Amino acid sequence: RRRHTRYISVTGVQTCALPISHELFASLAQLFEKSEITFRAIGEVPPLDASDISELLPVLREVALNTLHHSHAKSFTIQSELYNDHWFISLSDDGVGRATIKEKHFGLTNIKERIASRGGSLTMESNSDGTQFRIVIPLRDVPKKDDSDSGSR
């Protein structure tokens, strides 16, 4: 079952009033504000509660910070898609590559463990064209807002 996905691109944080004003993307956009790296967010984010955000934000921030500090990239892109009850997130840059998940370097090891704790998976590909992280997370039910105050009777 494929859901319709909105594609929204944000190029250049300076002009960014994020159409997807989701906390996950907005927080990452702030990291790139003072850099020369163009930030793009494409796709849709499933409904998330506070614990989801607190689990996922450090993962996305770690990847973004690695791009800022090590990649020499010109662009950083997050693509988000909902498909068959899973959330697919791709984080990629066009930097120098060479990223690895090392045992004694805890940043990337920790993000892999965080994703696994949610029943998800993380893969990374890094070469001279840049680095791409692919995260797949099963969607779980998120409490919906109480509609009783909406005035419908």
Side-chain angles (χ1 to χ4, degrees):
R1 179 179 102 218
R2 186 170 175 92
R3 294 182 180 188
H4 175 71
T5 302
R6 300 176 294 156
Y7 288 94
I8 299 169
S9 180
V10 177
T11 305
V13 178
Q14 298 80 356
T15 61
C16 177
L18 279 171
I20 301 177
S21 60
H22 196 280
E23 183 176 341
L24 288 174
F25 290 164
S27 175
L28 294 181
Q30 289 176 353
L31 292 176
F32 289 93
E33 282 179 347
K34 293 187 175 145
S35 79
E36 297 295 319
I37 300 173
T38 300
F39 174 86
R40 291 182 190 89
I42 304 167
E44 81 180 296
V45 177
L48 301 171
D49 61 21
S51 70
D52 292 325
I53 292 169
S54 68
E55 288 174 11
L56 295 173
L57 187 55
V59 169
L60 303 181
R61 284 180 58 87
E62 179 66 27
V63 173
L65 288 170
N66 281 341
T67 294
L68 285 164
H69 295 281
H70 306 296
S71 77
H72 306 285
K74 292 183 175 123
S75 68
F76 180 83
T77 303
I78 300 174
Q79 293 180 304
S80 175
E81 185 174 358
L82 307 177
Y83 181 73
N84 283 344
D85 298 325
H86 285 80
W87 184 15
F88 294 83
I89 307 166
S90 170
L91 302 112
S92 59
D93 68 49
D94 61 356
V96 296
R98 300 185 309 218
T100 57
I101 297 177
K102 300 175 187 172
E103 275 186 43
K104 295 184 182 185
H105 295 258
F106 297 109
L108 296 179
T109 301
N110 286 344
I111 67 172
K112 192 169 189 172
E113 290 172 2
R114 277 184 184 265
I115 296 301
S117 75
R118 298 241 359 209
S121 64
L122 170 92
T123 58
M124 183 190 67
E125 185 177 317
S126 188
N127 57 43
S128 61
D129 295 327
T131 301
Q132 181 175 37
F133 288 86
R134 291 181 192 95
I135 300 169
V136 180
I137 301 172
L139 294 175
R140 57 185 185 196
D141 293 331
V142 176
K144 297 189 179 185
K145 290 183 180 178
D146 183 10
D147 292 331
S148 63
D149 295 332
S150 64
S152 58
R153 295 177 194 225

